[in-house]
Amino acid sequence: MYYLNDGNIREIGIDWTALRDLIEQTLQLAGTPEIVQPLKPYLRYGDPSNRIIAMPAYVGGATASSGIKWIASFPGNLSAGIPRAHSVIILNEPDTGVPVAVINGALVSQLRTAAVSAAMLRSYMVLGRRERYRVGIVGWGLIGRRQFEMLTSLHGDVIETIRLFDSRGIDPSTINAAWRNRTIVASDWREAYRGADIVITCTAATERYIDEPPTPGAILLNVSLRDYMPIAVCGNKTTVVDNWQEVCRENTDIELLHRESGLSEGDALTLREAVLDGALRHCPASAPVFFNPMGMAAFDIAVAAHYLKESNRLGIGNRLDD
């Protein structure tokens, strides 16, 4: 049995192209017996804003792994200087159930989240709606920074400017030096949002605040899921979800649109349809793409299994004694 931590993952390295391709390969198994992932249960106690989520899944194909991610999200940690999210992934040998690895740390979750955004972005970029893209990122925690890293790595050649906003302020030294001349620290969320062709929300907001429509034809990567008031996205013709049953609950923007505006599962595209079937090509060019990824456990298991294979190949990590 192997143990990996964030340091081991960094030592193995981050290949955004490979991670994006892995998400797309996993999507190809969606809807078949090669992916099994029950609805995630949420454990809550004490402060209702805190939650610990169990995310079990089996992924067949080349991944051939099963396991579970156990992820805690405690927003109040931020005021105490502690990261909001902490997680551990346990991988099992799929034929015997024998545990084969423990991966401790938030980095795999961050990479999975950004890699899913990367897959969605590729399906959007092939539409060619712009020659150059203006980016707005709201929320500059670990997730926001990882999205920045993915975006600049894969699409840096077509990015004109990036505007960042975080309600807690942004230290300029946390911005990649190679990008500081094209990155602007905004004074409020509107400055980052208005005119942006790519909007990424990565906040721990307790109340929705985005109350105006986005740029026509933009893509909204709603990573934090609870930032948009219905008035901003009501009637949008291109809503994309990773899994409707997962995302239409837990007070997400999708659930609110379902309750207040009648948005139904049939009104939304799936991530598989957008990424593998080219469904965005049939949507109006002026319609913003509103992507809401609740997070599929299969993606976490696939990314974790990838790093376990790489750790074995490179001899990185710690083998635990029986």
Side-chain angles (χ1 to χ4, degrees):
M1 186 173 182
Y2 288 87
Y3 173 82
L4 303 176
N5 57 28
D6 284 354
N8 300 136
I9 302 301
R10 292 189 184 95
E11 187 179 356
I12 293 167
I14 300 170
D15 182 336
W16 287 113
T17 299
L19 290 172
R20 178 185 63 191
D21 291 348
L22 178 61
I23 296 301
E24 294 179 358
Q25 291 161 16
T26 306
L27 269 177
Q28 291 175 351
L29 304 176
T32 78
E34 294 300 294
I35 285 187
V36 179
Q37 50 179 9
L39 198 66
K40 299 179 287 191
Y42 284 61
L43 174 64
R44 285 194 169 89
Y45 53 90
D47 185 342
S49 67
N50 299 332
R51 60 188 185 272
I52 309 180
I53 310 169
M55 299 174 62
Y58 160 72
V59 182
T63 293
S65 188
S66 58
I68 187 168
K69 181 171 81 168
W70 180 240
I71 180 165
S73 175
F74 283 53
N77 286 356
L78 296 173
S79 61
I82 304 170
R84 175 187 62 83
H86 295 83
S87 66
V88 62
I89 297 174
I90 298 175
L91 295 179
N92 300 75
E93 205 284 326
D95 294 330
T96 65
V98 174
V100 292
V102 174
I103 302 176
N104 187 13
L107 185 52
V108 167
S109 289
Q110 296 167 25
L111 296 179
R112 179 271 285 168
T113 302
V116 171
S117 293
M120 184 70 232
L121 267 174
R122 174 146 69 174
S123 68
Y124 171 78
M125 290 297 201
V126 298
L127 301 176
R129 292 185 176 180
R130 309 282 194 273
E131 291 185 2
R132 305 280 289 175
Y133 295 83
R134 296 161 295 179
V135 178
I137 299 177
V138 182
W140 192 240
L142 295 173
I143 296 295
R145 298 180 200 186
R146 202 64 64 190
Q147 298 278 332
F148 180 102
E149 179 184 321
M150 173 278 296
L151 184 66
T152 54
S153 174
L154 295 177
H155 302 290
D157 58 330
V158 294
I159 293 175
E160 182 177 303
T161 58
I162 301 177
R163 295 179 183 269
L164 308 177
F165 173 72
D166 193 294
S167 60
R168 296 166 294 164
I170 294 175
D171 180 351
S173 69
T174 61
I175 302 169
N176 186 320
W179 279 88
R180 287 177 194 165
N181 64 334
R182 279 190 273 172
T183 302
I184 300 163
V185 176
S187 58
D188 66 14
W189 69 265
R190 293 176 180 85
E191 187 181 342
Y193 178 78
R194 290 173 178 166
D197 307 304
I198 300 171
V199 178
I200 310 176
T201 46
C202 311
T203 74
T206 56
E207 295 183 1
R208 293 174 173 84
Y209 56 93
I210 298 177
D211 58 0
E212 55 186 70
T215 303
I219 184 169
L220 315 176
L221 301 174
N222 190 20
V223 176
S224 41
L225 294 168
R226 300 167 183 88
D227 296 77
Y228 288 85
M229 298 175 67
I231 193 173
V233 288
C234 181
N236 183 53
K237 300 300 183 183
T238 314
T239 297
V240 183
V241 300
D242 53 359
N243 183 292
W244 177 267
Q245 284 69 38
E246 288 284 7
V247 79
C248 190
R249 63 186 185 126
E250 292 293 328
N251 189 36
T252 64
D253 295 337
I254 291 296
E255 184 186 26
L256 189 60
L257 285 169
H258 174 65
R259 291 200 316 260
E260 296 193 359
S261 305
L263 182 74
S264 68
E265 183 175 2
D267 298 321
L269 297 172
T270 66
L271 180 60
R272 191 186 195 286
E273 290 170 332
V275 170
L276 299 183
D277 300 338
L280 296 183
R281 295 191 184 95
H282 307 297
C283 299
S286 61
V289 176
F290 186 40
F291 179 44
N292 292 261
M294 190 68 156
M296 291 174 58
F299 294 148
D300 289 283
I301 298 306
V303 171
H306 163 76
Y307 275 100
L308 177 61
K309 290 176 183 177
E310 286 298 290
S311 74
N312 290 337
R313 182 177 70 85
L314 298 170
I316 293 172
N318 298 282
R319 186 181 179 95
L320 304 179
D321 294 331
D322 293 337

